[in-house]
Amino acid sequence: VISGSGEAVTPEMYLNNGHVSEFNFARQLAPNFKDENKLCYLDSFGPSWGFIDSSKAVTFMDNHDTQRGEAVLTYKDGDVYYLANVFMLATQYGYPKVMSSYAFDSHDQGPPSYPVTCGNDWICEHRRPEVANMVAWRKTAGDSAMKNFVK
């Protein structure tokens, strides 16, 4: 369920069925990375920002629905995008999902016509060292609270 104002169907309607994509996570996190002067506001990032319950939320910076449209950050933003993914994996909120995609120049462009081999047109965001290492870190840290956030 893609949440948005005026939608007839809301994510809250599906919480009893399992995990729900929390589209507002990226919508609210990304602008804080696009403007580095706003990073200091992330010390309270999480449920207090109006998100669905953490135990039901699937978080992401971009996904197959948003990467070519509404996403504020995608692989095309380079290091800022990967830093936001690192933060997503570092925070205890939700169940993080990392995008793995291919390069595109237009909204309706399909995947490369050759098998997946990371590099060239296959982006493979999940294999970036900083992202892959943070997945391992997340497994160890689990849902530990954020502490000693330096503004």
Side-chain angles (χ1 to χ4, degrees):
V1 175
I2 301 175
S3 61
S5 64
E7 293 287 335
V9 178
T10 67
E12 290 77 11
M13 294 174 173
Y14 289 85
L15 293 177
N16 289 333
N17 296 326
H19 288 88
V20 175
S21 296
E22 178 53 280
F23 283 81
N24 289 321
F25 182 89
R27 289 175 184 152
Q28 293 186 42
L29 181 61
N32 290 281
F33 278 87
K34 290 289 265 193
D35 180 350
E36 65 184 51
N37 294 318
K38 293 183 175 181
L39 290 174
C40 64
Y41 302 129
L42 297 177
D43 63 331
S44 65
F45 192 77
S48 67
W49 288 42
F51 301 142
I52 60 175
D53 182 80
S54 179
S55 67
K56 297 288 188 170
V58 175
T59 60
F60 52 90
M61 292 311 304
D62 61 332
N63 73 3
H64 63 281
D65 289 315
T66 66
Q67 188 180 53
R68 298 171 186 223
E70 84 164 76
V72 175
L73 288 173
T74 71
Y75 75 89
K76 292 184 176 192
D77 293 290
D79 290 342
V80 173
Y81 170 73
Y82 292 106
L83 183 60
N85 273 278
V86 165
F87 182 86
M88 173 186 69
L89 291 161
T91 184
Q92 74 275 17
Y93 178 78
Y95 182 85
K97 184 171 112 180
V98 177
M99 182 69 166
S100 189
S101 62
Y102 52 87
F104 62 90
D105 295 316
S106 67
H107 185 272
D108 294 323
Q109 181 177 337
S113 59
Y114 49 88
V116 176
T117 303
C118 293
N120 299 319
D121 291 330
W122 292 101
I123 306 301
C124 300
E125 295 94 318
H126 68 290
R127 289 198 179 176
R128 290 278 300 240
E130 60 272 36
V131 172
N133 289 337
M134 282 305 294
V135 168
W137 185 89
R138 171 86 180 218
K139 286 180 181 179
T140 301
D143 60 0
S144 298
M146 188 182 331
K147 295 181 181 178
N148 303 319
F149 187 94
V150 179
K151 290 187 177 189

PDB file of all heavy atoms in Angstrom, residues 61-87:
ATOM      1  N   MET A  61      14.960   3.331   1.230  1.00  0.00           N
ATOM      2  CA  MET A  61      15.223   4.660   0.682  1.00  0.00           C
ATOM      3  C   MET A  61      14.537   4.820  -0.666  1.00  0.00           C
ATOM      4  O   MET A  61      14.093   5.898  -1.021  1.00  0.00           O
ATOM      5  CB  MET A  61      16.726   4.910   0.554  1.00  0.00           C
ATOM      6  CG  MET A  61      17.439   5.033   1.886  1.00  0.00           C
ATOM      7  SD  MET A  61      16.641   6.167   3.049  1.00  0.00           S
ATOM      8  CE  MET A  61      16.573   7.676   2.124  1.00  0.00           C
ATOM      9  N   ASP A  62      14.498   3.760  -1.430  1.00  0.00           N
ATOM     10  CA  ASP A  62      13.770   3.732  -2.697  1.00  0.00           C
ATOM     11  C   ASP A  62      13.389   2.282  -2.958  1.00  0.00           C
ATOM     12  O   ASP A  62      13.990   1.370  -2.404  1.00  0.00           O
ATOM     13  CB  ASP A  62      14.585   4.329  -3.848  1.00  0.00           C
ATOM     14  CG  ASP A  62      15.889   3.601  -4.124  1.00  0.00           C
ATOM     15  OD1 ASP A  62      16.466   2.995  -3.195  1.00  0.00           O
ATOM     16  OD2 ASP A  62      16.364   3.643  -5.266  1.00  0.00           O
ATOM     17  N   ASN A  63      12.378   2.090  -3.782  1.00  0.00           N
ATOM     18  CA  ASN A  63      11.986   0.730  -4.147  1.00  0.00           C
ATOM     19  C   ASN A  63      11.483   0.737  -5.589  1.00  0.00           C
ATOM     20  O   ASN A  63      11.564   1.753  -6.282  1.00  0.00           O
ATOM     21  CB  ASN A  63      10.969   0.152  -3.153  1.00  0.00           C
ATOM     22  CG  ASN A  63       9.581   0.748  -3.274  1.00  0.00           C
ATOM     23  OD1 ASN A  63       9.284   1.573  -4.135  1.00  0.00           O
ATOM     24  ND2 ASN A  63       8.690   0.325  -2.399  1.00  0.00           N
ATOM     25  N   HIS A  64      10.956  -0.382  -6.026  1.00  0.00           N
ATOM     26  CA  HIS A  64      10.513  -0.501  -7.413  1.00  0.00           C
ATOM     27  C   HIS A  64       9.382   0.468  -7.747  1.00  0.00           C
ATOM     28  O   HIS A  64       9.191   0.805  -8.908  1.00  0.00           O
ATOM     29  CB  HIS A  64      10.099  -1.940  -7.708  1.00  0.00           C
ATOM     30  CG  HIS A  64       8.925  -2.396  -6.900  1.00  0.00           C
ATOM     31  ND1 HIS A  64       9.038  -2.799  -5.576  1.00  0.00           N
ATOM     32  CD2 HIS A  64       7.614  -2.488  -7.206  1.00  0.00           C
ATOM     33  CE1 HIS A  64       7.852  -3.120  -5.125  1.00  0.00           C
ATOM     34  NE2 HIS A  64       6.955  -2.948  -6.091  1.00  0.00           N
ATOM     35  N   ASP A  65       8.635   0.918  -6.740  1.00  0.00           N
ATOM     36  CA  ASP A  65       7.559   1.882  -6.986  1.00  0.00           C
ATOM     37  C   ASP A  65       8.061   3.317  -7.062  1.00  0.00           C
ATOM     38  O   ASP A  65       7.466   4.144  -7.735  1.00  0.00           O
ATOM     39  CB  ASP A  65       6.505   1.812  -5.866  1.00  0.00           C
ATOM     40  CG  ASP A  65       5.679   0.547  -5.927  1.00  0.00           C
ATOM     41  OD1 ASP A  65       5.241   0.176  -7.023  1.00  0.00           O
ATOM     42  OD2 ASP A  65       5.463  -0.064  -4.865  1.00  0.00           O
ATOM     43  N   THR A  66       9.114   3.632  -6.329  1.00  0.00           N
ATOM     44  CA  THR A  66       9.521   5.033  -6.177  1.00  0.00           C
ATOM     45  C   THR A  66      10.797   5.428  -6.911  1.00  0.00           C
ATOM     46  O   THR A  66      11.015   6.610  -7.154  1.00  0.00           O
ATOM     47  CB  THR A  66       9.730   5.373  -4.691  1.00  0.00           C
ATOM     48  OG1 THR A  66      10.843   4.626  -4.181  1.00  0.00           O
ATOM     49  CG2 THR A  66       8.480   5.079  -3.882  1.00  0.00           C
ATOM     50  N   GLN A  67      11.647   4.476  -7.250  1.00  0.00           N
ATOM     51  CA  GLN A  67      12.977   4.809  -7.769  1.00  0.00           C
ATOM     52  C   GLN A  67      12.944   5.714  -9.003  1.00  0.00           C
ATOM     53  O   GLN A  67      13.806   6.552  -9.177  1.00  0.00           O
ATOM     54  CB  GLN A  67      13.762   3.536  -8.090  1.00  0.00           C
ATOM     55  CG  GLN A  67      15.207   3.837  -8.437  1.00  0.00           C
ATOM     56  CD  GLN A  67      15.998   2.592  -8.763  1.00  0.00           C
ATOM     57  OE1 GLN A  67      15.597   1.798  -9.600  1.00  0.00           O
ATOM     58  NE2 GLN A  67      17.109   2.425  -8.084  1.00  0.00           N
ATOM     59  N   ARG A  68      11.973   5.577  -9.826  1.00  0.00           N
ATOM     60  CA  ARG A  68      11.924   6.359 -11.065  1.00  0.00           C
ATOM     61  C   ARG A  68      10.950   7.527 -11.002  1.00  0.00           C
ATOM     62  O   ARG A  68      10.587   8.090 -12.023  1.00  0.00           O
ATOM     63  CB  ARG A  68      11.544   5.445 -12.224  1.00  0.00           C
ATOM     64  CG  ARG A  68      12.575   4.376 -12.423  1.00  0.00           C
ATOM     65  CD  ARG A  68      12.084   3.354 -13.404  1.00  0.00           C
ATOM     66  NE  ARG A  68      13.027   2.268 -13.468  1.00  0.00           N
ATOM     67  CZ  ARG A  68      13.409   1.692 -14.577  1.00  0.00           C
ATOM     68  NH1 ARG A  68      12.917   2.091 -15.733  1.00  0.00           N
ATOM     69  NH2 ARG A  68      14.254   0.704 -14.552  1.00  0.00           N
ATOM     70  N   GLY A  69      10.525   7.854  -9.805  1.00  0.00           N
ATOM     71  CA  GLY A  69       9.557   8.936  -9.688  1.00  0.00           C
ATOM     72  C   GLY A  69       9.748   9.744  -8.430  1.00  0.00           C
ATOM     73  O   GLY A  69      10.520  10.667  -8.389  1.00  0.00           O
ATOM     74  N   GLU A  70       9.048   9.339  -7.378  1.00  0.00           N
ATOM     75  CA  GLU A  70       8.989  10.171  -6.187  1.00  0.00           C
ATOM     76  C   GLU A  70      10.216  10.104  -5.286  1.00  0.00           C
ATOM     77  O   GLU A  70      10.390  10.968  -4.429  1.00  0.00           O
ATOM     78  CB  GLU A  70       7.743   9.846  -5.363  1.00  0.00           C
ATOM     79  CG  GLU A  70       7.898   8.677  -4.435  1.00  0.00           C
ATOM     80  CD  GLU A  70       6.810   8.608  -3.375  1.00  0.00           C
ATOM     81  OE1 GLU A  70       5.691   8.203  -3.725  1.00  0.00           O
ATOM     82  OE2 GLU A  70       7.080   8.939  -2.217  1.00  0.00           O
ATOM     83  N   ALA A  71      11.067   9.109  -5.418  1.00  0.00           N
ATOM     84  CA  ALA A  71      12.213   8.979  -4.502  1.00  0.00           C
ATOM     85  C   ALA A  71      13.102  10.227  -4.560  1.00  0.00           C
ATOM     86  O   ALA A  71      13.506  10.664  -5.632  1.00  0.00           O
ATOM     87  CB  ALA A  71      13.021   7.742  -4.836  1.00  0.00           C
ATOM     88  N   VAL A  72      13.383  10.767  -3.392  1.00  0.00           N
ATOM     89  CA  VAL A  72      14.252  11.942  -3.301  1.00  0.00           C
ATOM     90  C   VAL A  72      15.703  11.528  -3.494  1.00  0.00           C
ATOM     91  O   VAL A  72      16.502  12.274  -4.062  1.00  0.00           O
ATOM     92  CB  VAL A  72      14.057  12.643  -1.939  1.00  0.00           C
ATOM     93  CG1 VAL A  72      15.035  13.788  -1.752  1.00  0.00           C
ATOM     94  CG2 VAL A  72      12.619  13.137  -1.806  1.00  0.00           C
ATOM     95  N   LEU A  73      16.041  10.323  -3.049  1.00  0.00           N
ATOM     96  CA  LEU A  73      17.397   9.789  -3.202  1.00  0.00           C
ATOM     97  C   LEU A  73      17.355   8.443  -3.908  1.00  0.00           C
ATOM     98  O   LEU A  73      16.553   7.579  -3.550  1.00  0.00           O
ATOM     99  CB  LEU A  73      18.050   9.594  -1.831  1.00  0.00           C
ATOM    100  CG  LEU A  73      18.471  10.820  -1.051  1.00  0.00           C
ATOM    101  CD1 LEU A  73      18.947  10.431   0.340  1.00  0.00           C
ATOM    102  CD2 LEU A  73      19.560  11.582  -1.788  1.00  0.00           C
ATOM    103  N   THR A  74      18.241   8.279  -4.893  1.00  0.00           N
ATOM    104  CA  THR A  74      18.437   6.999  -5.567  1.00  0.00           C
ATOM    105  C   THR A  74      19.938   6.824  -5.808  1.00  0.00           C
ATOM    106  O   THR A  74      20.724   7.711  -5.483  1.00  0.00           O
ATOM    107  CB  THR A  74      17.715   6.936  -6.932  1.00  0.00           C
ATOM    108  OG1 THR A  74      18.390   7.798  -7.859  1.00  0.00           O
ATOM    109  CG2 THR A  74      16.245   7.313  -6.819  1.00  0.00           C
ATOM    110  N   TYR A  75      20.316   5.703  -6.404  1.00  0.00           N
ATOM    111  CA  TYR A  75      21.722   5.459  -6.696  1.00  0.00           C
ATOM    112  C   TYR A  75      22.347   6.613  -7.487  1.00  0.00           C
ATOM    113  O   TYR A  75      23.551   6.863  -7.417  1.00  0.00           O
ATOM    114  CB  TYR A  75      21.905   4.135  -7.445  1.00  0.00           C
ATOM    115  CG  TYR A  75      21.500   4.200  -8.893  1.00  0.00           C
ATOM    116  CD1 TYR A  75      22.411   4.566  -9.879  1.00  0.00           C
ATOM    117  CD2 TYR A  75      20.191   3.921  -9.287  1.00  0.00           C
ATOM    118  CE1 TYR A  75      22.028   4.646 -11.209  1.00  0.00           C
ATOM    119  CE2 TYR A  75      19.808   3.995 -10.606  1.00  0.00           C
ATOM    120  CZ  TYR A  75      20.733   4.356 -11.560  1.00  0.00           C
ATOM    121  OH  TYR A  75      20.354   4.447 -12.880  1.00  0.00           O
ATOM    122  N   LYS A  76      21.527   7.344  -8.234  1.00  0.00           N
ATOM    123  CA  LYS A  76      22.039   8.457  -9.044  1.00  0.00           C
ATOM    124  C   LYS A  76      22.575   9.604  -8.188  1.00  0.00           C
ATOM    125  O   LYS A  76      23.286  10.471  -8.690  1.00  0.00           O
ATOM    126  CB  LYS A  76      20.957   8.968  -9.995  1.00  0.00           C
ATOM    127  CG  LYS A  76      20.613   7.958 -11.082  1.00  0.00           C
ATOM    128  CD  LYS A  76      19.625   8.516 -12.066  1.00  0.00           C
ATOM    129  CE  LYS A  76      19.389   7.499 -13.190  1.00  0.00           C
ATOM    130  NZ  LYS A  76      18.660   8.083 -14.305  1.00  0.00           N
ATOM    131  N   ASP A  77      22.246   9.602  -6.896  1.00  0.00           N
ATOM    132  CA  ASP A  77      22.745  10.627  -5.979  1.00  0.00           C
ATOM    133  C   ASP A  77      24.080  10.249  -5.351  1.00  0.00           C
ATOM    134  O   ASP A  77      24.614  10.993  -4.524  1.00  0.00           O
ATOM    135  CB  ASP A  77      21.710  10.905  -4.886  1.00  0.00           C
ATOM    136  CG  ASP A  77      20.468  11.561  -5.455  1.00  0.00           C
ATOM    137  OD1 ASP A  77      20.561  12.737  -5.849  1.00  0.00           O
ATOM    138  OD2 ASP A  77      19.424  10.887  -5.529  1.00  0.00           O
ATOM    139  N   GLY A  78      24.615   9.104  -5.720  1.00  0.00           N
ATOM    140  CA  GLY A  78      25.946   8.701  -5.276  1.00  0.00           C
ATOM    141  C   GLY A  78      26.077   8.510  -3.774  1.00  0.00           C
ATOM    142  O   GLY A  78      25.221   7.896  -3.138  1.00  0.00           O
ATOM    143  N   ASP A  79      27.159   9.045  -3.215  1.00  0.00           N
ATOM    144  CA  ASP A  79      27.496   8.794  -1.814  1.00  0.00           C
ATOM    145  C   ASP A  79      26.425   9.230  -0.829  1.00  0.00           C
ATOM    146  O   ASP A  79      26.251   8.603   0.216  1.00  0.00           O
ATOM    147  CB  ASP A  79      28.829   9.473  -1.464  1.00  0.00           C
ATOM    148  CG  ASP A  79      30.012   8.793  -2.128  1.00  0.00           C
ATOM    149  OD1 ASP A  79      29.879   7.632  -2.571  1.00  0.00           O
ATOM    150  OD2 ASP A  79      31.078   9.428  -2.207  1.00  0.00           O
ATOM    151  N   VAL A  80      25.680  10.279  -1.140  1.00  0.00           N
ATOM    152  CA  VAL A  80      24.616  10.731  -0.233  1.00  0.00           C
ATOM    153  C   VAL A  80      23.549   9.641  -0.102  1.00  0.00           C
ATOM    154  O   VAL A  80      23.056   9.359   0.990  1.00  0.00           O
ATOM    155  CB  VAL A  80      23.997  12.061  -0.715  1.00  0.00           C
ATOM    156  CG1 VAL A  80      22.785  12.441   0.112  1.00  0.00           C
ATOM    157  CG2 VAL A  80      25.027  13.168  -0.689  1.00  0.00           C
ATOM    158  N   TYR A  81      23.223   9.010  -1.208  1.00  0.00           N
ATOM    159  CA  TYR A  81      22.255   7.909  -1.191  1.00  0.00           C
ATOM    160  C   TYR A  81      22.758   6.757  -0.332  1.00  0.00           C
ATOM    161  O   TYR A  81      22.020   6.207   0.486  1.00  0.00           O
ATOM    162  CB  TYR A  81      22.006   7.432  -2.632  1.00  0.00           C
ATOM    163  CG  TYR A  81      21.217   6.163  -2.752  1.00  0.00           C
ATOM    164  CD1 TYR A  81      19.843   6.140  -2.502  1.00  0.00           C
ATOM    165  CD2 TYR A  81      21.827   4.973  -3.137  1.00  0.00           C
ATOM    166  CE1 TYR A  81      19.110   4.975  -2.632  1.00  0.00           C
ATOM    167  CE2 TYR A  81      21.101   3.802  -3.272  1.00  0.00           C
ATOM    168  CZ  TYR A  81      19.748   3.806  -3.016  1.00  0.00           C
ATOM    169  OH  TYR A  81      19.020   2.644  -3.143  1.00  0.00           O
ATOM    170  N   TYR A  82      24.026   6.397  -0.503  1.00  0.00           N
ATOM    171  CA  TYR A  82      24.570   5.280   0.255  1.00  0.00           C
ATOM    172  C   TYR A  82      24.692   5.625   1.738  1.00  0.00           C
ATOM    173  O   TYR A  82      24.472   4.770   2.595  1.00  0.00           O
ATOM    174  CB  TYR A  82      25.884   4.807  -0.355  1.00  0.00           C
ATOM    175  CG  TYR A  82      25.633   4.190  -1.708  1.00  0.00           C
ATOM    176  CD1 TYR A  82      25.979   4.849  -2.872  1.00  0.00           C
ATOM    177  CD2 TYR A  82      24.984   2.968  -1.815  1.00  0.00           C
ATOM    178  CE1 TYR A  82      25.699   4.300  -4.118  1.00  0.00           C
ATOM    179  CE2 TYR A  82      24.692   2.405  -3.052  1.00  0.00           C
ATOM    180  CZ  TYR A  82      25.054   3.075  -4.196  1.00  0.00           C
ATOM    181  OH  TYR A  82      24.759   2.530  -5.414  1.00  0.00           O
ATOM    182  N   LEU A  83      24.995   6.865   2.056  1.00  0.00           N
ATOM    183  CA  LEU A  83      25.041   7.291   3.454  1.00  0.00           C
ATOM    184  C   LEU A  83      23.651   7.190   4.085  1.00  0.00           C
ATOM    185  O   LEU A  83      23.515   6.742   5.227  1.00  0.00           O
ATOM    186  CB  LEU A  83      25.578   8.717   3.566  1.00  0.00           C
ATOM    187  CG  LEU A  83      25.745   9.253   4.986  1.00  0.00           C
ATOM    188  CD1 LEU A  83      26.705   8.390   5.789  1.00  0.00           C
ATOM    189  CD2 LEU A  83      26.238  10.693   4.938  1.00  0.00           C
ATOM    190  N   ALA A  84      22.624   7.569   3.364  1.00  0.00           N
ATOM    191  CA  ALA A  84      21.255   7.447   3.879  1.00  0.00           C
ATOM    192  C   ALA A  84      20.901   5.976   4.114  1.00  0.00           C
ATOM    193  O   ALA A  84      20.233   5.637   5.101  1.00  0.00           O
ATOM    194  CB  ALA A  84      20.265   8.097   2.921  1.00  0.00           C
ATOM    195  N   ASN A  85      21.350   5.091   3.233  1.00  0.00           N
ATOM    196  CA  ASN A  85      21.126   3.658   3.434  1.00  0.00           C
ATOM    197  C   ASN A  85      21.863   3.153   4.673  1.00  0.00           C
ATOM    198  O   ASN A  85      21.341   2.330   5.423  1.00  0.00           O
ATOM    199  CB  ASN A  85      21.554   2.860   2.200  1.00  0.00           C
ATOM    200  CG  ASN A  85      20.459   2.750   1.182  1.00  0.00           C
ATOM    201  OD1 ASN A  85      19.575   1.906   1.295  1.00  0.00           O
ATOM    202  ND2 ASN A  85      20.502   3.612   0.182  1.00  0.00           N
ATOM    203  N   VAL A  86      23.064   3.642   4.894  1.00  0.00           N
ATOM    204  CA  VAL A  86      23.826   3.275   6.090  1.00  0.00           C
ATOM    205  C   VAL A  86      23.054   3.708   7.336  1.00  0.00           C
ATOM    206  O   VAL A  86      22.919   2.942   8.293  1.00  0.00           O
ATOM    207  CB  VAL A  86      25.246   3.888   6.058  1.00  0.00           C
ATOM    208  CG1 VAL A  86      25.908   3.830   7.416  1.00  0.00           C
ATOM    209  CG2 VAL A  86      26.096   3.168   5.012  1.00  0.00           C
ATOM    210  N   PHE A  87      22.526   4.924   7.317  1.00  0.00           N
ATOM    211  CA  PHE A  87      21.736   5.393   8.452  1.00  0.00           C
ATOM    212  C   PHE A  87      20.504   4.514   8.653  1.00  0.00           C
ATOM    213  O   PHE A  87      20.175   4.133   9.778  1.00  0.00           O
ATOM    214  CB  PHE A  87      21.317   6.853   8.258  1.00  0.00           C
ATOM    215  CG  PHE A  87      20.533   7.395   9.418  1.00  0.00           C
ATOM    216  CD1 PHE A  87      21.190   7.932  10.513  1.00  0.00           C
ATOM    217  CD2 PHE A  87      19.153   7.358   9.426  1.00  0.00           C
ATOM    218  CE1 PHE A  87      20.469   8.413  11.607  1.00  0.00           C
ATOM    219  CE2 PHE A  87      18.422   7.831  10.506  1.00  0.00           C
ATOM    220  CZ  PHE A  87      19.085   8.362  11.598  1.00  0.00           C
TER     221      PHE A  87
END
